[in-house]
Amino acid sequence: MYLKSLELIQFRNYQEQQVEFLAPKTILVGDNAQGKTNLIEAVGLLSTLKSHRVRRDRNLILDGKNSGRITGYLERNGTGVELAISLRSNGRRTCKVNGDNCRKQIDFLGTLNCVQFSSLDLELVRFGPEKRRSWLDSLLVQLEPVYAHILQQYNKVMRQRNALLKELRKESSEGVVPNSANSKYQARDSKISELALWDAQLAAVGAKVTVRRSRALELLTPIAVAWHSAISGETEVLEIKYLPNVEAMQDLAVQNDPERRTKAFLEKIQEKAIAEKYQGTSLVGPHRDEIAFFLNQQPVREYGSHGQQRTLVLALKLAELKLIEEVVGEPPILLLDDVLAELDPNRQRQLLDAIQDRFQTLITTTHIDFFAREWIDSSQILSVKAGRVFRNFEF
């Protein structure tokens, strides 16, 4: 697939900007806070409908405006496709493919595939498990767009269940006494029955999330291990382990049996029932899963050096590229946001050698001297300044 052009209207600090991509590699050069990352973010939105920087659409719209638009023109499987997202400050979006409104996210997702790698991704190892779950979920949406709907279902069930648990905790603190004539007790009894219904839904949808995450890591791990071995010079052995909150789900026999996996979830929920009612929140489910990385059987988060952590994240990103290409049948677009400065010369060379002209690549940088002369000669170089993109960059 190839992104031919991008149009931004009232997006971030861009009033109106059209950018054409005329080479397999485009280097965006400019000082910080000029709009380089905003452009990369716009491409990411066309791919996943999500920003990794903000949650609310009003933060994506130009200051003082109520709406904005991103339009991308790409070629996929030899066919031209137009993707458009209209953003509104009230949060209501309109997504279109070739001018037709998409009723569901799944109708939009999966058209433009990309892998994003920024300096923030180096936090993937060092930060908490939420960061790693988010990374894996983003990859899964690319591999299997229906996963976005499954994850949305799960989050909805969890929110409803948490709200009910908070109500039960409040009533417990108020000392509701069992008494058939007590209306408050009757209402509490009804809520406990309702909780059982949410338990069943959490188990059913949560198991789907866990199974898909586990299978995605099974596909990704051997590719990442091979890349890590090449980058590190075969001096370390990488292991990636998926550690589901429902421990029984580590057993493939349980994963592959709908009845057994639902039973495993419900047993874990029963085990945590008292703690959940006391804390007023769900303690069971994939929102508490962990993805752990090990080098020579030592956890990288606790014992890995900064260099080892950078090598690991680079191997993961290169593995994402290959896995998406294998699954969807076309190479994804690679978005590199200010990452070369974070990598030493050896890791930079590994990354740039892996890219070649095989993947369309958009790269942001503050200094062009990070790149070898042959890279500069074969790339389109654009200058970004104050929300404007110029072609007259001179090296």
Side-chain angles (χ1 to χ4, degrees):
M1 64 190 66
Y2 189 88
L3 182 63
K4 299 171 71 174
S5 66
L6 183 70
E7 182 182 33
L8 305 177
I9 296 178
Q10 295 176 180
F11 176 79
R12 288 290 195 176
N13 67 332
Y14 290 94
Q15 176 67 48
E16 187 172 347
Q17 181 70 57
Q18 179 92 15
V19 183
E20 293 184 355
F21 301 104
L22 305 176
K25 296 185 289 292
T26 298
I27 302 174
L28 301 159
V29 186
D31 293 334
N32 291 326
Q34 300 302 304
K36 304 187 304 297
T37 296
N38 295 342
L39 194 148
I40 293 286
E41 181 181 32
V43 178
L45 276 160
L46 289 174
S47 176
T48 66
L49 290 175
K50 285 190 175 183
S51 165
H52 294 288
R53 302 165 74 196
V54 296
R55 292 177 179 267
R56 296 175 179 173
D57 282 359
R58 66 170 175 260
N59 296 322
L60 298 170
I61 298 169
L62 183 68
D63 286 345
K65 303 297 182 180
N66 293 318
S67 64
R69 190 170 77 243
I70 307 167
T71 305
Y73 303 89
L74 63 142
E75 186 172 308
R76 181 180 174 125
N77 294 321
T79 302
V81 182
E82 178 186 303
L83 296 176
I85 305 174
S86 295
L87 305 166
R88 298 177 182 84
S89 56
N90 63 9
R92 299 188 66 180
R93 288 183 180 179
T94 302
C95 299
K96 295 183 178 182
V97 177
N98 293 328
D100 295 328
N101 284 335
C102 298
R103 296 178 59 190
K104 299 178 181 178
Q105 282 189 350
I106 193 173
D107 297 329
F108 189 91
L109 294 170
T111 306
L112 173 63
N113 297 110
C114 68
V115 172
Q116 301 185 55
F117 187 12
S118 77
S119 56
L120 294 178
D121 283 307
L122 297 171
E123 300 169 352
L124 185 61
V125 180
R126 298 196 292 263
F127 278 42
E130 182 179 1
K131 184 81 175 177
R132 290 180 284 282
R133 289 193 298 267
S134 178
W135 158 72
L136 184 55
D137 288 339
S138 295
L139 172 60
L140 261 164
V141 169
Q142 302 253 24
L143 300 175
E144 191 178 3
V146 72
Y147 179 75
H149 176 66
I150 294 170
L151 194 61
Q152 187 179 49
Q153 279 185 311
Y154 176 75
N155 289 329
K156 182 178 179 180
V157 168
M158 191 174 63
R159 284 194 301 270
Q160 297 282 359
R161 189 172 185 273
N162 283 346
L164 188 56
L165 284 169
K166 285 182 173 63
E167 290 180 21
L168 289 169
R169 182 182 63 173
K170 182 180 178 181
E171 290 176 2
S172 293
S173 66
E174 292 174 351
V176 177
V177 180
N179 184 333
S180 60
N182 187 326
S183 60
K184 286 187 177 181
Y185 178 72
Q186 291 175 347
R188 178 180 173 81
D189 199 44
S190 174
K191 288 173 183 175
I192 291 174
S193 297
E194 183 184 349
L195 182 62
L197 298 176
W198 288 118
D199 291 350
Q201 291 191 49
L202 186 80
V205 184
K208 292 180 182 179
V209 173
T210 300
V211 167
R212 280 168 170 80
R213 284 178 177 174
S214 178
R215 290 174 180 171
L217 274 183
E218 282 182 26
L219 295 172
L220 182 77
T221 295
I223 305 173
V225 167
W227 269 117
H228 187 275
S229 178
I231 298 170
S232 65
E234 301 182 355
T235 59
E236 298 166 325
V237 177
L238 170 65
E239 293 178 86
I240 303 175
K241 295 182 180 180
Y242 181 46
L243 305 174
N245 171 253
V246 180
E247 294 86 351
M249 291 293 288
Q250 294 184 60
D251 186 342
L252 289 178
V254 175
Q255 284 188 28
N256 295 329
D257 188 327
E259 289 187 9
R260 290 182 66 183
R261 68 195 192 200
T262 299
K263 181 182 177 184
F265 263 79
L266 291 173
E267 287 177 349
K268 182 77 172 184
I269 290 171
Q270 185 62 35
E271 177 188 323
K272 296 290 184 178
I274 295 175
E276 285 190 334
K277 289 171 185 174
Y278 178 76
Q279 296 184 34
T281 192
S282 298
L283 301 177
V284 177
H287 64 285
R288 299 178 72 86
D289 291 351
E290 172 65 289
I291 298 104
F293 305 110
F294 298 86
L295 287 177
N296 295 337
Q297 300 183 334
Q298 293 293 319
V300 182
R301 185 182 179 191
E302 287 83 3
Y303 299 104
S305 67
H306 288 309
Q308 288 174 318
Q309 292 174 355
R310 284 176 169 81
T311 296
L312 170 56
V313 175
L314 176 56
L316 291 174
K317 291 298 171 180
L318 292 173
E320 283 185 62
L321 283 173
K322 186 173 181 181
L323 180 58
I324 291 174
E325 182 179 23
E326 289 179 354
V327 172
V328 306
E330 284 199 66
I333 296 168
L334 177 60
L335 309 176
L336 298 176
D337 188 16
D338 198 27
V339 74
L340 290 182
E342 299 286 344
L343 302 175
D344 62 29
N346 177 58
R347 294 181 182 88
Q348 288 181 26
R349 186 177 64 254
Q350 290 280 355
L351 175 60
L352 300 181
D353 287 349
I355 295 169
Q356 298 294 332
D357 286 341
R358 180 178 173 188
F359 302 96
Q360 183 184 6
T361 307
L362 277 59
I363 312 172
T364 71
T365 185
T366 54
H367 298 91
I368 198 70
D369 53 5
F370 283 122
F371 301 87
R373 185 76 220 188
E374 57 266 27
W375 258 73
I376 295 171
D377 291 342
S378 63
S379 300
Q380 174 189 22
I381 302 177
L382 302 176
S383 176
V384 181
K385 185 174 182 180
R388 297 288 304 280
V389 179
F390 304 93
R391 294 184 185 174
N392 59 345
F393 184 88
E394 296 182 0
F395 177 71

